[in-house]
Amino acid sequence: MQDEQTAVVTEAAPQAAAFPTGFLWGVATSAYQIEGAADADGRGQSIWDTFAHTPGRVAGGDTGDVAADHYHRYPEDVALMSELGLGAYRFSVSWPRIQADGSGPANQRGLDFYRRLVDSLLERGIEPAVTLYHWDLPQALQDRGGWLDRDTAYRFAEYAGAVREALGDRVRLWTTLNEPWCAAFLGYGEGKHAPGVQDPPGSLVAAHHLLLAHGLAVPALRAAAPGEIEIGTTLNFYPVSAASEDPADLDAAHRIDILQNRIFLDPVMQARYPADILAHVERVCGTGHIQQGDEALIGAPIDFLGVNYYTSYHVAGGGEAADGPSCWPGAQDVRFLSCGRPLTDIGWEIDAQGLRTQLERINRDYPGLKMLITENGAAFDDVVSPDGKVHDQARIAYVDGHLRAVQQAIASGVDVRGYFLWSLLDNFEWAEGYAKRFGIVHVDFDTQLRIPKDSALWYGGVALRNDLPAEQAI
Ligand code: FCB
């Protein structure tokens, strides 16, 4: 929140205000992408172990078996964050480390890793932000249907309670799910992510069960231990624009907006699916999987929304409605168009203003909702220069541009409390393997040597000053 002093500065300076006092400057990672230690201390198999070990699923045949070996090297990684001056760290807990088979008593050796991690963060004054599900479902639960099976939602709530019981006295910020869009639609619709199921209508059922898992976990988290915590969920948002005012294009944009943005946020915030969303689901797979009372559970009050943002969509109707695997159930006919903006190394258009548009839209739809940017960042083809450094000016420009957009959103009244850059380390980028580098710290995956890139030093400076440099980076 802005104190009076900041408000005076705002009036004097025509440009956007400095970031609010207490703004969290963090970085984000996830368990499977960095931990490695796939067999350590009683960890079970996750769907990502199975998927990555299936030939042809991940570029280069890469797996997360070793990844950035963070499980063993976390003291070094926490020290790095501290040296950079960062104030917060968002990481995820690996469900199969806590329940090898997805149910039953918690594995204390698995929890001990996160206890050690949290303690070392707190010792250095870094606020931990825990994500409970970043896609690594225990394989044993997948064997019973995974997110197509309603029971998985109940298992998730049980697991969430166990983690809160173990860490709840030391962790304030809790996120239930990371990007259920990817888990449902890439995992069960297109099959590009684990578990690799290609069933677009079924992926809408998976989406509902993920929402139910979130809704059941919120009270389970609050009940599991005494003390105040803040609970949110993390969604990946893309502002969607239509190619023209033609009804076919407007309809395409409406359906993509439903599937990408509203199907998750609206029921969480309104405790019901709005009629147009229900009608879409009805058309594609029926609504028999939505039981009476589910929507009320899904709408359990949350304390903040986690916003992940990478790029925006520009769409048109009139494509071929192919029947095959797709992450767009009921919108397979939509065409995604280029706006001609520069691309990151993973092929996503750079649209910093889209972040402002998205934040302002959420605030318009749900006024006063407290938000954290839980991910934003860029893949670039970084190289270690002869001077031993990584001069990733393009990443600096990307983050700088997006932070200016956040600043503008805050100035226009959006309540953003923090920013977590994706990612601390180069890591296992899902189906892309290790080929796409998102870290602000370079990792040599042969030696595990870490080299903070120029962007890490730049970002540390921003965090320390709680402000951007006067000159915009290009
Ligand atoms: C997000 C994921 C994260 C990472 C970034 C690049 O969709 O949450 O794990 O892969 O994209």
Side-chain angles (χ1 to χ4, degrees):
M1 239 164 280
Q2 287 199 340
D3 56 29
E4 264 175 34
Q5 222 179 344
T6 326
V8 172
V9 174
T10 313
E11 267 173 38
Q15 71 270 44
F19 289 87
T21 310
F23 193 82
L24 286 180
W25 293 101
V27 281
T29 64
S30 90
Y32 189 73
Q33 294 179 275
I34 61 163
E35 284 179 1
D39 295 323
D41 299 328
R43 178 185 181 275
Q45 287 266 311
S46 82
I47 55 175
W48 269 96
D49 295 290
T50 312
F51 190 77
H53 280 272
T54 307
R57 297 298 208 173
V58 174
D62 292 343
T63 76
D65 288 0
V66 178
D69 196 28
H70 174 76
Y71 193 79
H72 300 114
R73 292 168 198 264
Y74 76 89
E76 182 189 341
D77 294 337
V78 172
L80 249 171
M81 284 187 253
S82 167
E83 279 153 30
L84 291 173
L86 302 180
Y89 177 48
R90 171 179 181 250
F91 62 94
S92 79
V93 173
S94 155
W95 188 348
R97 283 196 198 284
I98 312 306
Q99 293 175 309
D101 294 330
S103 62
N107 169 22
Q108 293 304 317
R109 288 186 299 159
L111 285 170
D112 282 344
F113 167 68
Y114 298 103
R115 290 189 180 104
R116 293 194 296 273
L117 173 62
V118 165
D119 286 346
S120 70
L121 290 165
L122 293 176
E123 271 162 28
R124 292 179 181 266
I126 299 172
E127 165 123 44
V130 169
T131 298
L132 287 159
Y133 187 70
H134 204 123
W135 310 348
D136 44 359
L137 185 74
Q139 179 63 40
L141 293 183
Q142 181 56 36
D143 295 343
R144 286 185 254 147
W147 289 111
L148 294 174
D149 181 9
R150 188 177 167 87
D151 186 58
T152 300
Y154 292 86
R155 300 284 68 76
F156 177 72
E158 184 186 281
Y159 149 72
V163 180
R164 167 87 215 279
E165 224 175 276
L167 304 177
D169 56 335
R170 283 163 284 179
V171 175
R172 179 177 67 102
L173 294 171
W174 294 81
T175 303
T176 54
L177 308 177
N178 176 72
E179 300 189 357
W181 184 89
C182 296
F185 299 135
L186 294 180
Y188 292 83
E190 185 180 354
K192 186 181 169 204
H193 277 190
V197 175
Q198 300 184 324
D199 173 11
S203 67
L204 282 169
V205 176
H208 178 70
H209 291 153
L210 281 151
L211 280 164
L212 185 62
H214 158 79
L216 292 166
V218 171
L221 282 168
R222 295 206 201 278
E228 285 289 302
I229 57 171
E230 293 185 35
I231 306 176
T233 194
T234 279
L235 305 177
N236 49 332
F237 291 99
Y238 292 65
V240 186
S241 57
S244 78
E245 293 298 306
D246 185 299
D249 293 342
L250 293 174
D251 175 59
H254 179 226
R255 282 179 291 145
I256 297 303
D257 186 40
I258 284 181
L259 290 168
Q260 181 68 58
N261 303 314
R262 293 180 47 221
I263 198 169
F264 298 104
L265 183 60
D266 286 356
V268 165
M269 296 306 294
Q270 300 178 20
R272 65 179 184 93
Y273 286 108
D276 60 339
I277 298 182
L278 266 188
H280 185 87
V281 175
E282 177 66 55
R283 258 196 316 275
V284 180
C285 67
T287 50
H289 59 284
I290 305 176
Q291 296 188 7
Q292 215 186 350
D294 283 3
E295 288 164 282
L297 290 169
I298 291 168
I302 54 169
D303 305 303
F304 68 90
L305 173 68
V307 174
N308 287 3
Y309 176 80
Y310 290 94
T311 187
S312 54
Y313 288 145
H314 192 55
V315 301
E320 241 179 75
D323 257 351
S326 166
C327 55
W328 301 110
Q332 281 105 311
D333 57 305
V334 173
R335 292 178 296 139
F336 289 78
L337 309 176
S338 156
C339 287
R341 299 187 183 98
L343 307 176
T344 63
D345 191 39
I346 203 165
W348 301 342
E349 285 200 3
I350 301 174
D351 180 12
Q353 274 305 304
L355 177 53
R356 176 183 179 180
T357 307
Q358 188 58 49
L359 292 171
E360 293 181 352
R361 189 255 174 119
I362 297 169
N363 195 49
R364 236 188 345 268
D365 290 351
Y366 300 105
L369 179 58
K370 197 156 100 179
M371 293 181 234
L372 289 173
I373 312 295
T374 38
E375 283 181 32
N376 174 240
F380 287 108
D381 195 7
D382 304 312
V383 286
V384 180
S385 297
D387 63 3
K389 299 184 176 162
V390 179
H391 301 299
D392 58 340
Q393 188 59 33
R395 183 172 290 101
I396 294 176
Y398 179 101
V399 175
D400 181 279
H402 285 73
L403 281 172
R404 281 172 208 275
V406 172
Q407 221 173 11
Q408 289 160 359
I410 293 172
S412 80
V414 184
D415 188 2
V416 184
R417 302 293 180 99
Y419 176 92
F420 292 80
L421 205 168
W422 184 272
S423 181
L424 172 66
L425 303 169
D426 288 337
N427 60 48
F428 176 83
E429 176 48 34
W430 309 114
E432 309 289 344
Y434 295 99
K436 303 296 172 199
R437 293 181 176 270
F438 273 92
I440 56 171
V441 173
H442 185 274
V443 177
D444 177 325
F445 292 104
D446 294 326
T447 62
Q448 294 295 344
L449 181 73
R450 273 84 161 131
I451 301 174
K453 303 177 191 176
D454 287 357
S455 59
L457 308 174
W458 177 88
Y459 185 56
V462 171
L464 285 173
R465 289 190 308 273
N466 197 37
D467 204 359
L468 289 162
E471 285 277 296
Q472 176 158 5
I474 42 166

